[in-house]
């Protein structure tokens, strides 16, 4: 019977173990290379003045997400120029939301844009097509998203409204569709307006609720859409909040409230509720919540909203005062 030959096993181990270690080293080195490449690509994009895109690396291939179509060529060339990059894949920014409200001589634009440039292009395009109307812009730039319509298309929708005797218009673009409500002075103009609005909407699915009559009430204006736009504006900018246990503003509260109040001007007979919060753990919690609500109400009234239409309410919350929602003020429209 032959005896085992240990040196064979030793030889196998001498070859296999270093090979495994080498493979592990390659994997670690590969991860390090990918991280370094991702850092350099991100830095290049940030330095270009358009930060906010997500970067991922697989080998030497780079994928950039959240790219606005008008920036695609610039980002493609910028990333391709980074040493080490062998392939570039771009993924479009997600479409955000866009709402437009028209009443009397006021046009309110609300929603999200990718950056200040897209916001400026929208306002300029609408201003050029809505001659004589005051444009109130409460758009909020948000990296990784873009307008769900082009600036020119949004301006075309507004132009159809202001040029055709339309009152109390509200339009919401979301999920590939346009939901519109309006009052038009007579049936002939209403029929023409429906056709023109559908044409201006392009590939958007259009859902219209058009009433015939004069502008003498608010129920034709989509108050739910207005309230939703206000909620998105406030929530997307950190909320209207105060420092814990005090009436000192947190962030840019008054500026945010002024923007909300300008939106309310398109619904001059809608009821606005300002609800102040405070934690039950704070001494004189009710007085604190009332003062917070009153401070917000005063800013709203300062923008021209009728005092008769602004109600105040109070909520005493069980959560600690450090909780964001416990030291905020809600603004709702109905």
């Amino acid at each position: 019977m032959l005896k085992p030959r240990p040196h064979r096993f030793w030889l196998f181990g001498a070859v296999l173990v270093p090979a495994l270690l080498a493979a592990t080293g390659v994997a670690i080195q590969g991860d390090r290379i990918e991280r370094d490449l991702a850092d350099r690509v991100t830095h290049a994009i940030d330095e270009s003045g358009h930060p906010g895109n997500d970067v991922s690396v697989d080998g030497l291939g780079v994928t950039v997400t959240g790219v606005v179509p008008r920036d695609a060529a610039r980002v493609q060339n910028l990333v391709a120029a980074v040493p080490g990059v062998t392939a570039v894949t771009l993924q479009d920014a997600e479409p955000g939301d866009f709402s437009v409200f028209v009443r009397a001589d006021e046009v309110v634009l609300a929603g999200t844009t990718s950056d200040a440039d897209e916001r400026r292009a929208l306002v300029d395009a609408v201003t050029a097509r809505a001659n004589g109307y005051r444009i109130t812009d409460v758009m909020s730039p948000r990296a990784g998203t873009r307008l769900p319509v082009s600036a020119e298309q949004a301006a075309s929708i507004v132009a159809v409204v202001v040029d055709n005797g339309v009152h109390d218009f509200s339009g919401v673009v979301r999920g590939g569709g346009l939901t519109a409500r309006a009052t038009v002075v007579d049936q002939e103009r209403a029929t023409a307006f429906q056709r023109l609005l559908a044409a201006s909407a392009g590939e958007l699915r259009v859902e219209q609720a058009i009433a015939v009559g004069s502008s003498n009430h608010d129920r034709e204006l989509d108050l739910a859409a207005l309230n939703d736009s206000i909620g998105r504006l406030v929530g997307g900018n950190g909320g209207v909040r105060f420092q814990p246990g005090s009436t000192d503003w947190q962030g840019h509260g008054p500026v945010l409230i002024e923007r909300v109040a300008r939106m309310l001007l398109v619904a001059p007979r809608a009821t606005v509720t300002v609800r102040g919060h405070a934690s039950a753990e704070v001494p004189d919690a009710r007085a604190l919540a009332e003062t917070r609500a009153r401070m917000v109400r005063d800013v709203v009234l300062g923008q021209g909203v009728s005092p008769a239409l602004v109600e105040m309410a109070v909520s005493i919350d069980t959560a600690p005062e450090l909780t964001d929602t416990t030291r905020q003020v809600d603004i709702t429209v109905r």
Side-chain angles (χ1 to χ4, degrees), residues 13-51:
V15 174
L16 179 60
V17 172
L20 290 174
L21 291 174
T24 301
V26 169
I28 293 173
Q29 182 67 13
D31 288 344
R32 186 179 298 114
I33 291 173
E34 289 183 354
R35 288 196 302 271
D36 176 68
L37 188 58
D39 289 343
R40 287 189 287 117
V41 169
T42 300
H43 178 73
I45 293 175
D46 290 348
E47 286 295 301
S48 73
H50 292 78

Side-chain angles (χ1 to χ4, degrees), residues 144-155:
T145 65
R146 59 175 174 81
L147 273 172
V149 292
S150 68
E152 292 73 21
Q153 188 176 9

Side-chain angles (χ1 to χ4, degrees), residues 69-313:
R70 61 178 166 77
D71 290 338
R74 178 189 61 81
V75 174
Q76 178 83 29
N77 294 334
L78 186 70
V79 175
V82 175
V85 174
T86 60
V88 181
T89 301
L90 305 182
Q91 294 183 358
D92 194 7
E94 290 294 323
D97 59 279
F98 172 67
S99 300
V100 55
F101 304 92
V102 183
R103 176 181 286 275
D105 62 350
E106 182 96 15
V107 176
V108 174
L109 308 174
T112 56
T113 61
S114 60
D115 54 29
D117 289 342
E118 188 176 49
R119 177 179 181 174
R120 189 177 305 109
L122 170 68
V123 174
D124 289 347
V126 171
T127 301
R129 300 291 297 276
N131 187 34
Y133 280 70
R134 186 173 79 162
I135 309 301
T136 296
D137 157 35
V138 290
M139 303 296 298
S140 297
R142 186 178 303 167
T145 65
R146 59 175 174 81
L147 273 172
V149 292
S150 68
E152 292 73 21
Q153 188 176 9
S156 179
I157 292 172
V158 172
V160 169
V161 175
V162 302
D163 293 342
N164 288 278
V166 178
H167 306 289
D168 312 336
F169 177 82
S170 55
V172 179
V173 179
R174 189 177 302 149
L178 167 64
T179 302
R181 299 183 64 177
T183 303
V184 185
V185 292
D186 57 51
Q187 186 58 57
E188 182 179 357
R189 290 193 183 187
T191 301
F193 172 69
Q194 288 178 302
R195 174 177 51 81
L196 292 169
L197 182 63
S200 70
E203 297 181 355
L204 295 172
R205 302 182 309 275
V206 181
E207 181 179 326
Q208 302 186 44
I210 310 300
V212 176
S214 59
S215 178
N216 56 7
H217 48 65
D218 286 305
R219 66 173 178 267
E220 302 305 339
L221 189 71
D222 193 341
L223 294 181
L226 179 61
N227 186 62
D228 182 60
S229 293
I230 289 174
R232 289 173 178 270
L233 171 65
V234 173
N237 286 276
V240 178
R241 298 197 174 108
F242 293 83
Q243 297 294 342
S246 78
T247 54
D248 295 331
W249 298 103
Q250 175 181 301
H252 303 286
V255 175
L256 182 57
I257 300 164
E258 288 177 0
R259 297 179 69 191
V260 170
R262 290 198 296 271
M263 295 178 70
L264 297 174
L265 295 177
V266 298
R269 283 172 290 281
T271 301
V272 182
T273 300
V274 176
R275 180 177 296 275
H277 293 258
S279 172
E281 69 179 18
V282 177
D284 298 324
R286 179 165 295 277
L288 177 60
E290 287 178 350
T291 301
R292 288 170 171 173
R294 187 177 302 108
M295 291 173 64
V296 172
R297 183 200 61 179
D298 290 346
V299 177
V300 170
L301 298 183
Q303 295 299 306
V305 177
S306 172
L309 301 175
V310 182
E311 301 176 343
M312 287 207 321

